[in-house]
Amino acid sequence: MKKVVISTGGGDAPGLNAVIYAVVHACNKRGWEVYGSRNGYAGFLDIDEMVRLMPRDVTEIYAAGGTILGSTNKGNPFSKPVKNLAGEVQIIDISDTIMRNYKRMGFDCHIAIGGDGSLEIAHRFAQLGMNVIGVPKTIDNDLLMTDRTFGFDTAVSTATNALDKVHSTAKSHDRVMVVEVMGRDSGWIALYSGISGGADVILIPEIPFDLEKVCEKISDNELRDKDYSIVVVAEGARAEGGSIISKGEGELGRQEVLLGGIGEWVAQQIRNRMDKDTRSLVLGHLQRGGSPTTFDRLLALRFGAAAVRMIEAGTFDHMVALVSSRMTAVPIADAIRNRKRVDLASDKVLTARDIGICFGD
Ligand code: F6P
């Protein structure tokens, strides 16, 4: 008999509920109890935020977007901002309270579903003695040690569908359409959707771009009687010698700045240089919403079930990973060491170049 707690942290991603579904069922089959901590670690601080999860509570949630547990990317218990009586913000560490409550509540282990930020927090708890298993989530697909994170396939499919629609309007008006997609540190969504969605230009964080090259590609199109062009740009991309475009100060309690605006900036630069009708479009959180694709559902269900098998094997402070189509356990420390970036020598990048896509280099 084991008592397992599960939490979902960071930005949501399609497939979170499918992981929860698999964990609840796989634990129930073994006669174990499962609890869900709402909004990241809130359940460890307030018993009302800790919910018992039975198979009847997760009926058909594998197909639903979002997370039934809620999530936050402002919930780092090691550096939590609180206002003191004078109204000033102080950063406090509440990890010891969480460790104490984890033990008091009698949990045997914690399945933490998250991206790099949430898994880093989980790893720190593992170092304090919590039995942690990580499950790799992010639409950005930028976690090391796993071929895929769940959520990515759905985001790519949403972005590709959007590009398909953008084509017809760009063509009707002989316009350049610049489509901004998510991808803070890596250009996976831009690359996969751009290739599949017929982009002329793909701009990714891994390749600082030269606007002259982007404009050359648009002019080349016109020389070949294609009077419209599609540019896909990842939110974390930047021009050579330029910097990342953000929405100013980060939010309180959030480690990263909010990115956004590169699409409109690129559109303006093209307009200035080419006197060409240019519009920008930000896909934003559309990419995080909706039902997971079959690929993501299956991957998330496999991750959830494999995480429970890892509990059985006692493989803690590890993350379940997809490596060469198989479920594998990898140390969380290795997965969060850095971001997984697009390999510029990979066949996807070569394919893009071979079919005439410009990376602005
Ligand atoms: O990490 C996933 C991600 O979707 C990033 O691509 C994006 O920059 C960020 O989350 C947006 O987060 P928020 O939900 O705070 O707007």
Side-chain angles (χ1 to χ4, degrees):
M1 165 67 188
K2 285 193 195 300
K3 198 169 167 183
V4 177
V5 58
I6 181 166
S7 69
T8 53
D12 69 340
L16 281 166
N17 283 327
V19 179
I20 297 171
Y21 178 96
V23 169
V24 169
H25 280 274
C27 287
N28 187 63
K29 193 183 155 213
R30 289 162 172 81
W32 301 352
E33 281 180 8
V34 185
Y35 289 78
S37 170
R38 289 214 176 100
N39 299 322
Y41 287 84
F44 293 91
L45 299 167
D46 176 355
I47 197 74
D48 290 338
E49 298 294 318
M50 188 63 87
V51 287
R52 177 81 201 274
L53 293 172
M54 303 288 287
R56 65 168 176 273
D57 301 315
V58 296
T59 321
E60 290 173 9
I61 65 164
Y62 51 81
T67 158
I68 59 163
L69 292 175
S71 193
T72 173
N73 45 23
K74 297 179 191 163
N76 187 345
F78 291 91
S79 53
K80 185 180 165 64
V82 284
K83 281 201 177 145
N84 64 18
L85 292 176
E88 297 151 345
V89 175
Q90 282 182 323
I91 303 295
I92 58 166
D93 180 346
I94 53 162
S95 56
D96 54 344
T97 311
I98 287 176
M99 277 309 294
R100 212 172 30 249
N101 291 343
Y102 164 82
K103 286 178 190 153
R104 260 200 212 147
M105 291 174 186
F107 289 122
D108 295 292
C109 68
H110 172 205
I111 297 181
I113 316 175
D116 55 292
S118 309
L119 292 181
E120 191 187 330
I121 294 166
H123 177 57
R124 289 183 72 176
F125 276 119
Q127 288 171 321
L128 295 179
M130 190 182 276
N131 287 333
V132 168
I133 307 259
V135 178
K137 165 242 60 166
T138 159
I139 66 161
D140 290 358
N141 195 39
D142 60 358
L143 268 170
L144 285 174
M145 308 297 290
T146 183
D147 295 343
R148 282 292 180 94
T149 54
F150 72 82
F152 172 65
D153 187 69
T154 311
V156 168
S157 154
T158 300
T160 306
N161 289 338
L163 290 177
D164 287 346
K165 294 191 182 190
V166 156
H167 267 270
S168 59
T169 174
K171 193 172 180 177
S172 305
H173 291 269
D174 288 348
R175 277 179 176 156
V176 177
M177 292 293 300
V178 182
V179 181
E180 179 180 313
V181 297
M182 283 188 171
R184 299 186 69 83
D185 303 302
S186 0
W188 295 103
I189 298 177
L191 181 68
Y192 277 50
S193 65
I195 295 175
S196 315
D200 300 286
V201 178
I202 299 176
L203 305 175
I204 58 176
E206 291 83 349
I207 308 178
F209 57 87
D210 176 351
L211 278 157
E212 294 303 326
K213 297 278 169 47
V214 173
C215 293
E216 261 170 39
K217 173 67 190 173
I218 296 167
S219 301
D220 277 0
N221 278 353
E222 288 178 340
L223 284 176
R224 282 184 282 108
D225 278 341
K226 182 173 178 277
D227 291 325
Y228 72 98
S229 295
I230 308 292
V231 178
V232 179
V233 56
E235 60 184 354
R238 60 186 168 86
E240 274 173 4
S243 48
I244 286 174
I245 297 186
S246 73
K247 292 182 176 161
E249 289 288 296
E251 291 167 321
L252 192 59
R254 200 196 148 115
Q255 281 159 321
E256 296 155 324
V257 290
L258 271 184
L259 296 184
I262 184 73
E264 179 51 27
W265 186 82
V266 168
Q268 264 169 18
Q269 298 301 315
I270 295 171
R271 240 180 260 133
N272 294 345
R273 285 173 163 77
M274 302 191 73
D275 191 27
K276 174 102 189 150
D277 225 8
T278 304
R279 297 285 188 271
S280 69
L281 168 72
V282 181
L283 294 189
H285 295 80
L286 260 188
Q287 299 157 93
R288 293 231 304 252
S291 179
T293 56
T294 308
F295 180 92
D296 272 340
R297 268 183 223 190
L298 181 59
L299 181 61
L301 290 166
R302 291 171 73 197
F303 276 159
V308 173
R309 293 196 297 274
M310 280 163 66
I311 297 175
E312 224 160 27
T315 320
F316 298 118
D317 201 11
H318 276 61
M319 178 185 89
V320 56
L322 179 75
V323 179
S324 306
S325 307
R326 300 172 79 105
M327 288 293 116
T328 314
V330 299
I332 295 180
D334 292 347
I336 58 173
R337 198 171 7 95
N338 215 328
R339 296 291 92 75
K340 183 176 71 185
R341 292 174 184 271
V342 169
D343 173 4
L344 302 186
S346 70
D347 84 281
K348 275 120 195 165
V349 174
L350 300 181
T351 300
R353 292 193 191 279
D354 279 338
I355 62 176
I357 296 173
C358 162
F359 285 96
D361 59 347

